[in-house]
Amino acid sequence: MSKEDTIQHILTVFQTSGGEIYGAEAVTQLEHALQAASLARDSGASAVLVAAALLHDIGHLVRR
């Protein structure tokens, strides 16, 4: 799978499953991922760590 294919797959996962509620929280899976990435970015984290924060729970969305 190419890098572009991988990115498209991740986007598709967030588009199709990102609207699910994140546990007992009042946010969706996508909102939670974006919050984590934003907090990492705002704290000065590297791009790699920001990406890791964005994707840290992606397994919950592909478990099907």
Side-chain angles (χ1 to χ4, degrees):
M1 183 179 287
S2 71
K3 177 173 58 173
E4 291 79 15
D5 290 341
T6 300
I7 292 168
Q8 185 57 53
H9 181 69
I10 291 168
L11 291 173
T12 299
V13 168
F14 276 125
Q15 289 170 346
T16 59
S17 300
E20 296 177 9
I21 296 298
Y22 179 73
E25 303 298 322
V27 296
T28 65
Q29 291 279 353
L30 177 57
E31 290 168 335
H32 172 72
L34 293 171
Q35 288 171 346
S38 180
L39 288 169
R41 184 198 61 218
D42 292 349
S43 71
S46 68
V48 171
L49 189 55
V50 172
L54 179 69
L55 300 174
H56 77 278
D57 277 338
I58 195 130
H60 296 290
L61 303 179
V62 296
R63 68 187 180 279
R64 298 173 195 21

